Amino acid sequence: MSTSRFAEYLCPDKLAELADIAKRLTTPGKGILAADESVSTCGKRLQDINVENTEDNRRKYRELLFSTDDSLSQNISGVILFDETTKQKDKNGTPFLQILEQKGIIPGIKVDKGVVPLAGTINECTTTGLDGLKERCDEYKRMGCHFAKWRCVLKITQYTPSYLAMLENANVLARYASICQQAGLVPIVEPEVLPDGTHDLGMSQRVTEEVLAFVYKALADHHVYLEGTLLKPNMVTAGQGYTGAKPSPDQVATATVQALNRRVPPAVAGVVFLSGGQGEESATVHLNAINKCPLRRPWALTFSYGRALQASVLLAWGGKDESIKAAQEQLLKRAKANGLASVGEYTGGMAGVAGETSLFVANHAY
């Protein structure tokens, strides 16, 4: 393995460590639980089940997730945390990071600080958080986190995404990825093309390909070690407001894999899809179809779901202590379903209590 480009700032041992972490996160049959909702976004989830948004209630909910039976690790390889959660403990005083490690689940951390308007564009945005990022990443690594996530957002409208927005967000993602790797964290690169809009499947594919082209050009320019990265893209779907015939799972799968084939280097360790507001079952069915697609698939193709793993959990829990076990059973069920889908073996019959309730949030930010 040639390391000439990376040796300037990464030693061979660190390269090997990054590649190993990325490989473990994409172990066949496993995916990532995104539990990195901000205080306000977690509050919205709690509000939906009539639970007050307090630090202790957020802690109780995260404890419910992380204290699920050890069999959770059969289908969950890693968990993305929010800064607040990395410092919290369960009711017995055990740090959440330690609980995850004991289960063989790799802790990760959301390191961006949210989206802000991008001047000179029509309602587009970029993501903040690069200032002080190296110091924060170093601290998270010392705490026991081994990967990170940063989300950028692109919108499909008549005039967007603009060249400026694609260029800016690609460079932000590349700078973040480079800093993470210097700290020993595997960067999850998330350029999300939002599902908001009336566009058809073809437009979604074209824009997704263009965005990915900008991203991988920037990653190359910044000498990011691709074997030690993961991509977290949107699946290629029609817009939420599209009024034509709904694309089938096979059509979504073909468009998604084709877009990846055209733009994502095979050196990338794996692709961990976001659910993008799809219902729980749709996110699973689409992932399964992607993994059965006859097109070339040189990467692991799995999941990094938040809402699509947690909707049924929240409904089953309802903030009641006596319902914790029922909620954890829902998490195990959804994790198992998506674990099967990540290897193309999901056959249905494992829907959660949320069913196919839409999880779409317009202009989703967290």
Side-chain angles (χ1 to χ4, degrees):
M1 175 179 63
S2 173
T3 60
S4 58
R5 277 292 191 180
F6 316 111
E8 300 171 9
Y9 64 95
L10 294 176
C11 68
D13 286 346
K14 184 167 285 186
L15 293 175
E17 180 190 11
L18 290 168
D20 178 66
I21 294 167
K23 184 177 180 180
R24 287 190 286 133
L25 285 168
T26 53
T27 299
K30 296 187 180 186
I32 296 169
L33 167 62
D36 57 334
E37 298 88 355
S38 66
V39 171
S40 60
T41 300
C42 192
K44 293 174 186 175
R45 306 279 187 269
L46 295 177
Q47 183 180 12
D48 289 341
I49 57 170
N50 299 313
V51 173
E52 185 180 0
N53 183 21
T54 64
E55 181 178 355
D56 192 53
N57 282 336
R58 293 192 298 274
R59 186 201 61 76
K60 286 181 179 178
Y61 176 59
R62 264 59 183 263
E63 180 175 349
L64 180 161
L65 296 174
F66 306 153
S67 63
T68 299
D69 186 88
D70 287 354
S71 61
L72 181 66
S73 63
Q74 293 177 9
N75 301 112
I76 298 296
S77 58
V79 175
I80 309 173
L81 306 172
F82 185 62
D83 178 75
E84 175 185 72
T85 318
T86 64
K87 303 172 179 66
Q88 291 177 326
K89 303 175 181 179
D90 70 4
K91 61 185 177 183
N92 298 316
T94 305
F96 286 155
L97 288 171
Q98 184 177 332
I99 290 173
L100 292 172
E101 289 168 355
Q102 289 172 346
K103 292 180 183 295
I105 295 174
I106 303 171
I109 179 68
K110 171 186 178 289
V111 294
D112 72 71
K113 294 191 175 182
V115 299
V116 294
L118 179 59
T121 66
I122 302 174
N123 196 33
E124 294 184 279
C125 55
T126 186
T127 306
T128 60
L130 289 174
D131 288 349
L133 179 59
K134 177 59 163 62
E135 292 74 21
R136 288 188 287 126
C137 286
D138 286 339
E139 177 61 20
Y140 288 131
K141 183 69 175 182
R142 285 192 291 270
M143 292 171 66
C145 294
H146 298 290
F147 69 100
K149 194 206 79 169
W150 181 292
R151 175 181 183 251
C152 283
V153 178
L154 289 305
K155 305 174 183 180
I156 298 179
T157 69
Q158 182 179 358
Y159 304 106
T160 66
S162 64
Y163 177 90
L164 175 60
M166 290 188 286
L167 182 65
E168 162 66 13
N169 283 290
N171 278 307
V172 165
L173 284 166
R175 290 180 63 192
Y176 140 79
S178 177
I179 292 168
C180 281
Q181 290 191 333
Q182 291 178 58
L185 299 176
V186 167
I188 294 182
V189 176
E190 181 177 356
E192 179 179 4
V193 178
L194 291 176
D196 308 55
T198 59
H199 51 276
D200 62 12
L201 189 70
M203 174 62 78
S204 178
Q205 181 176 345
R206 183 184 70 77
V207 172
T208 297
E209 289 179 11
E210 193 168 8
V211 167
L212 290 173
F214 274 81
V215 168
Y216 281 99
K217 170 62 164 62
L219 291 173
D221 288 344
H222 287 258
H223 310 313
V224 173
Y225 177 57
L226 296 183
E227 289 88 340
T229 68
L230 299 177
L231 172 68
K232 183 171 179 175
N234 52 282
M235 295 180 187
V236 176
T237 62
Q240 286 287 330
Y242 179 63
T243 56
K246 182 179 179 180
S248 69
D250 286 343
Q251 289 174 314
V252 168
T254 298
T256 300
V257 177
Q258 193 170 62
L260 296 177
N261 264 319
R262 290 173 174 173
R263 295 294 182 261
V264 181
V268 173
V271 177
V272 292
F273 291 101
L274 55 90
S275 57
Q278 300 178 71
E280 283 187 338
E281 187 69 1
S282 288
T284 305
V285 169
H286 283 151
L287 179 63
N288 191 71
I290 285 169
N291 277 286
K292 294 182 74 174
C293 180
L295 297 177
R296 176 174 170 271
R297 292 174 280 117
W299 331 264
L301 300 172
T302 186
F303 60 93
S304 176
Y305 291 166
R307 286 168 287 170
L309 277 172
Q310 296 182 51
S312 288
V313 178
L314 284 161
L315 281 177
W317 177 47
K320 301 172 183 175
D321 289 346
E322 61 269 25
S323 299
I324 288 175
K325 185 175 181 181
Q328 291 174 333
E329 289 173 351
Q330 290 295 315
L331 178 58
L332 289 171
K333 179 189 286 189
R334 298 310 307 149
K336 178 66 173 178
N338 286 296
L340 290 169
S342 72
V343 290
E345 296 179 1
Y346 182 65
T347 57
M350 297 179 69
V353 295
E356 191 49 23
T357 302
S358 174
L359 304 177
F360 172 68
V361 177
N363 290 310
H364 178 50
Y366 57 95

